[in-house]
Amino acid sequence: MNSLRIIYLFVYFFCTNSTTWAQNLSDFTHKHKIQQCLIEYFEAKDKLGIVLLGEKDKNNGAHIIILEYNELDSLKKIIKKDTSGNLLSEETTQFNINKKDSIKDYLEQWNNKQIKTRKITKYREDGQVSSISCYDLESTDLKYRIIYSYNHINRLEAILTYDSEGKLTSKEEVTTFITGEIESVSNGSIPGIESCCGYEIKFNTSGKKISSFNHGYGHAGFADYYYDEVGLLSKTSSSSDLNKYIEYYKYDIHGNIIEEKLTRLELNTNITETERINTFEYEYDKRGNWVKKIEYFNFTPKKIVLRRFKYF
């Protein structure tokens, strides 16, 4: 997994509010080459100790997610639908023959209106990303452009975002290890723009996030991430002005999350309480991919996720 994809996964999964990072990642990972994965979300019902499928889950954002892959196991299409089967969004990726650029087309439904955008990613000769440009497909006008800046030894040092007029709107500063892997990402200052918020994310040489810091509006938050001997996230520790939170993770033999336990330490009283315990049960197919997941919140079944695979 390259460093730029690590940044993408961080933004995608941590900005999704419906579930935690570990739960989200479990939904989208698989073993062996597949053509398609269809994911469906349902509420869970406890009937005399038996967990049954309930109503289609309306709180997940999308009831159905369809992932399509090519022969190289690269994701080429993501389709999201609501509980009525209506299209919410569609993302299509195309690579040209020489891998000099890729095209992502997005179609989203907002208030019965379709919004179509296209992102064109260009690559350098060494395969690293050079730029990402986003266009409105109806008007073909530029919406924004992201530039990846490298230093004299071809190490990524900044990610710059410009609006359609060429004005710099955001800046991320990047440091790297000697091996070239990303060591940290933080927001940089922009001339003429005062920012009240900031953040910094640090990674280890394996590309795993080990710490984060954010501040804004008079508050600050810190988090540290710990991994077991096989590289799975085992514990997170985060703190704010008044509390310290520690979350523990357990996995099954397939590497899927089976327990998340969140504890809170109130710093003023030094009292520790268990906030919640999420547990998970799985059913697997013959190739080791889970096809059913039951999610429990404090030992009460809340959600059932079904997955159907088509293999090459």
Side-chain angles (χ1 to χ4, degrees), residues 76 110 132 202 243 273:
K76 66 177 184 179
W110 289 99
I132 300 175
K202 290 186 177 181
N243 299 291
E273 294 182 347

Side-chain angles (χ1 to χ4, degrees), residues 190-209:
I190 301 175
I193 299 179
E194 292 187 10
S195 175
C196 59
C197 303
Y199 66 88
E200 182 180 34
I201 310 162
K202 290 186 177 181
F203 303 87
N204 62 20
T205 53
S206 300
K208 297 183 181 295
K209 185 158 63 76

Side-chain angles (χ1 to χ4, degrees), residues 71-298:
E71 294 83 354
L72 300 176
D73 205 33
S74 296
L75 186 61
K76 66 177 184 179
K77 183 177 288 188
I78 304 174
I79 300 172
K80 296 182 180 181
K81 297 182 179 181
D82 63 16
T83 54
S84 299
N86 298 315
L87 181 68
L88 292 174
S89 66
E90 181 175 317
E91 174 186 327
T92 305
T93 302
Q94 302 175 36
F95 287 96
N96 70 2
I97 296 176
N98 297 318
K99 287 282 184 85
K100 296 298 181 184
D101 58 54
S102 65
I103 296 174
K104 285 183 182 288
D105 285 344
Y106 299 84
L107 188 155
E108 294 182 280
Q109 294 284 150
W110 289 99
N111 297 324
N112 297 321
K113 180 182 178 182
Q114 286 191 347
I115 300 175
K116 299 179 180 179
T117 56
R118 171 171 291 180
K119 289 183 180 179
I120 300 177
T121 302
K122 294 187 177 297
Y123 298 85
R124 300 171 6 135
E125 291 295 330
D126 59 6
Q128 299 192 83
V129 176
S130 171
S131 67
I132 300 175
S133 302
C134 182
Y135 298 88
D136 185 310
L137 267 180
E138 297 292 336
S139 65
T140 68
D141 291 335
L142 175 69
K143 296 170 67 72
Y144 62 85
R145 178 173 284 121
I146 302 174
I147 301 296
Y148 293 78
S149 177
Y150 298 83
N151 61 21
H152 65 286
I153 56 174
N154 294 322
R155 302 278 172 77
L156 183 65
E157 62 180 3
I159 304 173
L160 312 169
T161 303
Y162 298 87
D163 64 16
S164 59
E165 303 297 324
K167 180 180 178 181
L168 182 64
T169 58
S170 72
K171 178 181 180 181
E172 292 180 302
E173 296 178 345
V174 180
T175 64
T176 58
F177 293 103
I178 296 177
T179 55
E181 292 294 329
I182 289 178
E183 179 181 14
S184 69
V185 179
S186 60
N187 66 317
S189 60
I190 301 175
I193 299 179
E194 292 187 10
S195 175
C196 59
C197 303
Y199 66 88
E200 182 180 34
I201 310 162
K202 290 186 177 181
F203 303 87
N204 62 20
T205 53
S206 300
K208 297 183 181 295
K209 185 158 63 76
I210 57 174
S211 69
S212 63
F213 165 69
N214 62 79
H215 63 87
Y217 304 103
H219 299 280
F222 303 84
D224 295 302
Y225 305 83
Y226 304 88
Y227 301 87
D228 62 19
E229 62 276 4
V230 296
L232 294 172
L233 183 67
S234 59
K235 183 177 77 171
T236 62
S237 174
S238 59
S239 60
S240 59
D241 297 334
L242 300 176
N243 299 291
K244 181 176 182 179
Y245 296 90
I246 298 179
E247 189 158 20
Y248 301 92
Y249 305 90
K250 294 181 180 179
Y251 303 85
D252 64 12
I253 59 174
H254 299 277
N256 290 311
I257 186 78
I258 57 174
E259 182 181 286
E260 296 173 334
K261 181 180 179 181
L262 178 66
T263 62
R264 177 175 62 88
L265 170 64
E266 189 174 325
L267 299 179
N268 290 336
T269 62
N270 208 33
I271 296 176
T272 299
E273 294 182 347
T274 298
E275 289 278 294
R276 60 171 168 79
I277 298 177
N278 292 340
T279 54
F280 310 86
E281 295 178 357
Y282 300 90
E283 293 180 10
Y284 290 87
D285 66 11
K286 294 181 179 179
R287 305 206 184 190
N289 286 313
W290 66 261
V291 293
K292 181 178 181 179
K293 176 173 66 172
I294 303 176
E295 301 179 6
Y296 295 82
F297 177 76
N298 288 335

Side-chain angles (χ1 to χ4, degrees), residues 33-38 308-312:
K33 291 184 178 181
I34 65 172
Q35 286 181 307
Q36 185 186 86
C37 175
L38 188 149
R308 286 181 283 171
F309 292 94
K310 288 183 181 180
Y311 293 94
F312 282 105

